[in-house]
Amino acid sequence: MLRPSRPVSTMLAATLAVALSGSVYADNRQNWRAVRTQTPDTSEYTEGAELRAGDTVPVAISLQLRNRAQLETFAANLMSGTGVSALSSEQFLAQYAPSSSDVASVVQHLRQSGYVNIEVSENRMLITADGTAATAGKAFNVRMAHFNRGERHAYANTNDPVVPAALGNIVLGVHGLQTVHTAHTAQVLALSTAYATAGKVGHSPTTWPAIYNASALPTAAKTSIGIITAGSVTQTLTDLYSFATSAGYARPAVSVVNARRVTNASATDNTAEWNIDSQNALGAAGGVVKSMVFYNAASMAEADLTAAFNAAVSANVAKVISVSLGECETNARASGTAAADDQIFLAGIAQGQTFVVASGDSGSYSCGGASNAQSYPASSPYVIAVGGTSLSTSSSGAWTGETVWACSTASTCASNGGTGGGASLIEAAPSWQLSAKVLGTSTRRGVPDLAFAGDPSSGAITLVKGSKLQYGGTSLAAPIFAGFWARIQSANNNKLAFPAPALYKYGAAQAALFHDVTSGSNGGYSAAKGWDYTSGFGSLNVGAFAAFVTSSGAFLAQ
């Protein structure tokens, strides 16, 4: 099993010896500096008692990258194929990771504040530690309290955390101080009573290559796929092996990397979600992958997921990482999660990795209510966001058409589901999206980039705890593309860069590469000819797209 981090004593002992002398902690508020983490929105909760001094509050500290602007330039050059190769883990550490001396300064502050079991991730981007409410108060000048909403119990900081001035240009965010806002999965079960009149049929994960014209491609035998999960994956592995056997596939090479627990949030049973991800990614990949790695968070809390994302990038094994979860993007911004995760995804791009993220299942209303807002991390400019479609196939299983996995109002989108998509409230549009002129007058990141089968009525027949159940959601669409992209990477010896810039540069002029989705709405936005806020460029004719990728050289990192 890969280990994503190691105790600081084995890594930084020499550096700590020459770190700041004396504590950098001070009671004077003028000697503190703000970080990207703020007080969470608890308006829907009732505040309870203050946490007792000894109540456990583990944390993760995200550190700012060195030479961030240079790394952005390097990533842009990599994606444009201007003669640079993806960074090795060693090169990233040497040029862009937080320095050992900066890490040592943060570790010293944590120790002097009372934190124990301090671990530094291999890429030095995240420091995790165990502490208490009293420790958090001393280290970050916060008050911690219980919060309740019905039967849900959480805790959170009641004021913005700060760090000593000496760490102001080192620490990016303090994560784990709250469990009020958590991510959720993006999958919907197709109930016969709800979809009896839909006129659709479910599809085995083995049929995606034939439906999307990928059967002639080599399998993903040279490429490792990562799956972000949370909680126990024991049943998921059992079901994956059973699925592979029934499909006639060889048993895939699988490993599980358990990321460090950062919060006290409890893990829920999301076996169905992780089964959708793994079985459909394997099916789209042609039944063969170099390996499948489950980067497993302790829970769906933001901080725990950040640790799992970083584990995937720190390991630098998986070329494609599928993510079928998300949260209201404004919550992710307020907690500092978006800032921390964006750094992680950028580092992945520089190392030749691609995160593929479901765009959400609440239509254009990912923050609830009737206002348009997107799901994070789908709205990150450093990931490929994938929306959902309603798929039609012939009696022989051939693709015949796709429309938007639709919903009409905020209430129906919330209750019945529909593809996420729209203009981000928190992320600026990347240059490659602005240059493509697909956003009109908007300067905000637009999602999704692509779309695949997501409507539960035309979803995937997935093996869950030994039973075959039909699921959809954008959490189906994301692993479908992840499997296809892994195949295309394998066909190009894993030399392809993060595909978004080339996709947008050439997409509008290469209509034959896509199944353009032109009808349907997700509440706030409607499909249209070409790129739109419900389906991006649409789904891929994978065979034609792969041929273009190889022949054009536009997606190569060098």
Side-chain angles (χ1 to χ4, degrees):
M1 178 182 296
L2 298 173
R3 183 170 174 79
S5 58
R6 52 184 167 178
V8 68
S9 59
T10 65
M11 180 180 180
L12 296 169
T15 310
L16 280 170
V18 296
L20 297 174
S21 60
S23 174
V24 294
Y25 174 82
D27 290 323
N28 187 341
R29 190 78 182 184
Q30 294 179 347
N31 292 328
W32 297 80
R33 296 291 182 269
V35 295
R36 296 292 286 273
T37 302
Q38 301 172 350
T39 307
D41 178 7
T42 56
S43 57
E44 296 182 356
Y45 286 75
T46 300
E47 184 174 338
E50 187 171 346
L51 265 65
R52 295 171 298 182
D55 287 346
T56 58
V57 182
V59 295
I61 313 302
S62 58
L63 274 58
Q64 299 184 43
L65 289 169
R66 263 185 305 153
N67 307 319
R68 170 70 180 261
Q70 293 179 27
L71 183 61
E72 294 274 10
T73 299
F74 174 86
N77 290 336
L78 181 72
M79 292 181 287
S80 63
T82 54
V84 296
S85 300
L87 295 174
S88 66
S89 297
E90 293 73 20
Q91 289 171 323
F92 175 78
L93 280 172
Q95 300 176 58
Y96 303 109
S99 69
S100 294
S101 60
D102 284 348
V103 169
S105 297
V106 176
V107 167
Q108 181 168 337
H109 175 61
L110 293 174
R111 280 183 169 167
Q112 292 175 338
S113 299
Y115 281 98
V116 297
N117 300 325
I118 302 171
E119 292 186 359
V120 180
S121 66
E122 294 288 349
N123 61 4
R124 301 200 293 262
M125 295 181 69
L126 206 65
I127 302 174
T128 55
D130 292 334
T132 64
T135 310
K138 183 177 181 182
F140 309 115
N141 213 347
V142 290
R143 173 183 176 272
M144 302 292 299
H146 293 280
F147 289 87
N148 303 290
R149 187 182 65 184
E151 295 183 358
R152 186 167 191 273
H153 305 287
Y155 62 81
N157 49 302
T158 62
N159 60 300
D160 294 352
V162 289
V163 296
L167 304 181
N169 293 323
I170 300 173
V171 173
L172 182 66
V174 180
H175 314 283
L177 295 176
Q178 64 91 16
T179 57
V180 169
H181 299 305
T182 61
H184 51 83
T185 58
Q187 51 90 3
V188 181
L189 176 64
L191 300 176
S192 59
T193 54
Y195 295 102
T197 61
K200 306 293 183 181
V201 295
H203 300 89
S204 166
T206 63
T207 64
W208 301 128
I211 291 171
Y212 288 108
N213 189 30
S215 298
L217 290 178
T219 66
K222 298 179 183 178
T223 303
S224 293
I225 295 178
I227 308 285
I228 299 297
T229 58
S232 175
V233 293
T234 301
Q235 184 62 49
T236 291
L237 300 187
T238 298
D239 289 337
L240 177 61
Y241 296 143
S242 296
F243 163 72
T245 298
S246 65
Y249 301 153
R251 180 170 170 145
V254 173
S255 60
V256 179
V257 176
N258 289 310
R260 166 77 178 267
R261 176 174 287 279
V262 183
T263 74
N264 290 319
S266 59
T268 55
D269 183 5
N270 285 301
T271 295
E273 178 59 77
W274 319 138
N275 289 19
I276 295 167
D277 290 351
S278 55
Q279 292 173 33
N280 287 282
L282 184 61
V288 181
V289 294
K290 182 177 181 180
S291 67
M292 185 171 285
V293 187
F294 293 83
Y295 294 99
N296 193 44
S299 77
M300 294 287 281
E302 293 173 327
D304 287 321
L305 291 170
T306 293
F309 296 148
N310 194 57
V313 172
S314 187
N316 196 13
V317 170
K319 281 293 181 182
V320 189
I321 302 102
S322 185
V323 182
S324 291
L325 46 85
E327 66 170 318
C328 168
E329 60 179 344
T330 55
N331 290 341
R333 174 179 59 188
S335 66
T337 294
D341 293 354
D342 278 355
Q343 278 200 157
I344 292 168
F345 301 144
L346 170 61
I349 289 174
Q351 294 177 165
Q353 298 175 288
T354 297
F355 279 81
V356 178
V357 182
S359 68
D361 287 4
S362 301
S364 64
Y365 312 105
S366 287
C367 290
S371 298
N372 294 325
Q374 303 313 306
S375 176
Y376 186 88
S379 61
S380 170
Y382 304 104
V383 308
I384 295 293
V386 185
T389 67
S390 180
L391 171 69
S392 297
T393 54
S394 68
S395 58
S396 63
W399 183 95
T400 58
E402 281 173 283
T403 59
V404 170
W405 176 33
C407 56
S408 57
T409 65
S411 60
T412 59
C413 291
S415 59
N416 298 331
T419 185
S424 173
L425 298 178
I426 71 167
E427 298 275 17
S431 59
W432 37 264
Q433 208 166 39
L434 292 173
S435 298
K437 302 187 184 305
V438 297
L439 301 176
T441 59
S442 175
T443 58
R444 313 306 299 175
R445 164 71 159 128
V447 296
D449 302 305
L450 296 167
F452 287 88
D455 186 339
S457 66
S458 57
I461 301 170
T462 306
L463 188 66
V464 180
K465 299 180 181 178
S467 298
K468 292 183 178 180
L469 301 172
Q470 186 171 321
Y471 286 92
T474 56
S475 65
L476 167 60
I480 290 174
F481 175 66
F484 288 148
W485 186 242
R487 290 180 86 153
I488 299 171
Q489 277 281 20
S490 278
N492 290 272
N493 296 310
N494 294 317
K495 296 294 185 181
L496 302 179
F498 178 70
L503 179 70
Y504 278 83
K505 182 176 181 179
Y506 297 101
Q510 299 291 332
L513 306 183
F514 306 97
H515 301 128
D516 193 7
V517 178
T518 59
S519 63
S521 167
N522 69 351
Y525 302 92
S526 296
K529 184 177 176 58
W531 188 94
D532 59 65
Y533 284 119
T534 64
S535 62
F537 284 107
S539 67
L540 293 175
N541 178 330
V542 178
F545 181 76
F548 177 77
V549 167
T550 301
S551 64
S552 68
F555 294 76
L556 286 172
Q558 59 176 343

